[in-house]
Amino acid sequence: MADGSVHQSARDRAYSSTDRVGRCRDQRTSVRTTALAYFERLRAEDPVHYCANSVFGPYWSITRYNDIMAVDINHQVFSSEAALGGIAILDQGADLRLPMFIAMDPPKHDQQRKVVSPAVSPANLERLEPLIRERACAILDALPRGETFDWVDRVSIELTTQMLATLFDFPFEQRRKLTWWSDVGSCIPGPGQVVETEEQKLAELMECLVAFTELWNQRVNAPPTGDLISMLAHGEATRNMSPEEYLGNLILLIVGGNDTTRNSISGSLYALSKNPDQFAKLRANPELIPSMVSETIRWQTPLAHMRRTALEDIEFQGKTIRKGDKVVMWYVSGNRDDAVIDNPNAFIIDRERPRTHMSFGYGIHRCVGNRLAEMQLRVIWEEILKRFPVIEVMGEPDRVPSPFVKGYLNLPVRIPA
Amino acid sequence: MPVITYVQHDGAEHRVTLPVGVSLMQGAISNNVPGIDADCGGACACATCHVYVDPAWMGRVGERGAMEASMLDFAEGVRETSRLACQIKIADEHDGLIVRLPEAQH
């Protein structure tokens, strides 16, 4: 069902199925609301589930909130290392294995993460907020009235891409290249996809590397500034990175700083339009915006999962996970676990503890940019509520065809004239 | 029961009486002391209950655990007196404890 609740027919299918439980049938299938019924059944009947055959090979599904947290914080046993397969259900191909700190274990992860984290520190965010607001206002003021347009393109992509260009101090007029590289970086090549082959993907990413190497050379020869490229070029743990490592960390920051916030901005409008009582509540109480933002990030779960690889045999909730096994933490399932979250399929903007969600992950890999994401969502909604008493969603969005990124390709909306 | 003082970044003080056995984080949440987010609910998994223990009290709150240390390693504005409030369990000897809150949880 479109509003994110679990429809009875989906539940019937999920509970009658014997062979498809926990299995993604296609690597380009998005995690749709129909999948939520399968996760509901897994949480109830086999919360730590082994899938022996899939297009991704064999893997474990961890589906309960507290179990996911236990795996996430046990980085000693559950590794993020790229060479073991990395952080997504689809193993990273050897030729496209980009080293990035999210796909590293300590101590290297810790050193590299610390180089970039000052970019999203509270002090830097405070400095950035007026600029984000100014840009949000310009984007909203330029929207057409009385005609249908694509919210994803005109608002979600535009705001997050402008932000990313600012963080990198990337040439502003070329900022859509960042969107493109983000799409390429997170895409699984195939017919009809953003790129069709691995070779194409590699070629596009090389172009990204060339452009950013130019920026690196500019920044490394200048005094340190607050932008991310300058931080990497001058940071002790990163200034001697290999080109592959530089590219890997760029793609991480581009995808992490773009895709997820983009899809949460789209998701917030979509969820509010499907729940008009909540939209009315928000309009009547704009002070609920921060709480609505957290609820959206839970409800949307912009990254459906993270993956780990077991470094040793471990007994976990009555199952034996073997060394080398692929372990998938389904955040999208944990965020709907009624053992931890009341009425989890409902979108309720004034929940008692809206920050109780796992969309940012837990432990040492917890999202470094979470406060920046929340701030962008808060600012855009503060400005939306000042301007538009009505935004109509005109049709169903197309979804990103990925089991990893949970998002929207488009969202047709209309603002009355 | 021990009386604990939480001092906000702006200097505002919240003095609360806590039962022995609850965590310093739970004590803040259940008494609506602002400035502690506690996103993970006390699992030492997020570092959003970061506090600075008054230096005079450092000897009585124990040491950071291993996981706590690695979470604090990524927190903002960490000092020697930094702790995660979810990892300090209130005991009788904590009567009078003073902790200060950072500008923001991160």
Side-chain angles (χ1 to χ4, degrees), chain A residues 65 69 73 75 109-110 113-114 120-122 125-126 353 355-357 362-364 366 368 371, chain B residues 25 29 37-41 43-48 67 70-71 73-74 76 103-106:
Chain A
Y65 190 102
M69 194 192 276
I73 64 178
H75 58 266
H109 158 269
D110 305 13
R113 176 180 168 126
K114 278 183 202 165
V120 287
S121 69
L125 293 187
E126 207 170 299
R353 292 193 50 73
R355 302 192 60 87
T356 301
H357 66 72
Y362 283 118
I364 63 168
R366 184 172 165 83
V368 72
R371 301 292 175 175
Chain B
M25 179 278 281
I29 298 295
D37 292 335
D39 289 4
C40 78
C44 196
C46 74
T48 63
M67 187 62 198
S70 49
M71 289 315 299
D73 204 21
F74 300 114
E76 185 66 26
E103 188 176 1
Q105 296 293 343
H106 194 61

Side-chain angles (χ1 to χ4, degrees), chain A residues 48 50 60 78 310 312-323 325 327:
Chain A
V48 177
Y50 189 66
W60 293 92
F78 298 105
E312 56 191 65
D313 292 1
I314 183 171
E315 293 296 315
F316 189 77
Q317 299 294 11
K319 303 284 177 93
T320 305
I321 296 176
R322 300 274 176 206
K323 178 179 178 176
D325 282 358
V327 179

Side-chain angles (χ1 to χ4, degrees), chain B residues 66-87:
Chain B
M67 187 62 198
E68 183 184 359
S70 49
M71 289 315 299
L72 276 170
D73 204 21
F74 300 114
E76 185 66 26
V78 174
R79 305 176 198 152
E80 258 178 57
T81 56
S82 290
R83 291 294 308 271
L84 293 183
C86 71
Q87 299 304 301

Side-chain angles (χ1 to χ4, degrees), chain B residues 91-103:
Chain B
D92 281 324
E93 56 168 343
H94 294 141
D95 189 25
L97 173 64
I98 299 167
V99 293
R100 292 181 176 79
L101 302 180
E103 188 176 1

Side-chain angles (χ1 to χ4, degrees), chain A residues 94-254:
Chain A
D95 51 339
L96 266 182
R97 187 174 298 146
L98 292 172
M100 49 180 81
F101 68 79
I102 195 174
M104 292 175 188
D105 293 331
K108 205 166 174 188
H109 158 269
D110 305 13
Q111 295 155 1
Q112 295 204 354
R113 176 180 168 126
K114 278 183 202 165
V115 175
V116 299
S117 61
V120 287
S121 69
N124 216 32
L125 293 187
E126 207 170 299
R127 195 177 61 79
L128 284 170
E129 183 168 333
L131 184 62
I132 294 183
R133 188 175 302 278
E134 192 187 306
R135 290 179 167 167
C137 290
I139 289 167
L140 296 176
D141 288 338
L143 294 177
R145 308 294 180 100
E147 61 178 83
T148 300
F149 65 93
D150 180 13
W151 182 265
V152 170
D153 183 58
R154 295 289 299 262
V155 180
S156 309
I157 290 182
E158 200 46 40
L159 185 73
T160 49
T161 304
Q162 290 190 8
M163 194 60 253
L164 204 54
T166 306
L167 283 175
F168 284 129
D169 196 10
F170 187 85
F172 199 66
E173 63 289 353
Q174 294 178 37
R175 62 188 180 274
R176 284 284 172 138
K177 284 188 179 173
L178 298 171
T179 319
W180 169 245
W181 289 325
S182 175
D183 290 344
V184 170
S186 60
C187 140
I188 298 170
Q193 300 296 303
V194 175
V195 286
E196 303 214 329
T197 63
E198 294 273 314
E199 293 72 41
Q200 255 182 325
K201 179 167 177 170
L202 201 57
E204 293 292 343
L205 293 179
M206 279 305 126
E207 243 178 74
C208 173
L209 179 60
V210 168
F212 272 97
T213 303
E214 204 180 309
L215 295 180
W216 174 287
N217 289 333
Q218 287 170 11
R219 308 287 153 81
V220 79
N221 293 312
T225 53
D227 72 83
L228 279 164
I229 306 302
S230 177
M231 284 180 182
L232 292 171
H234 291 277
E236 205 173 313
T238 47
R239 67 180 175 216
N240 295 318
M241 278 188 296
S242 66
E244 292 76 26
E245 233 170 19
Y246 181 43
L247 180 60
N249 280 319
L250 286 170
I251 294 298
L252 165 60
L253 295 166
I254 292 172

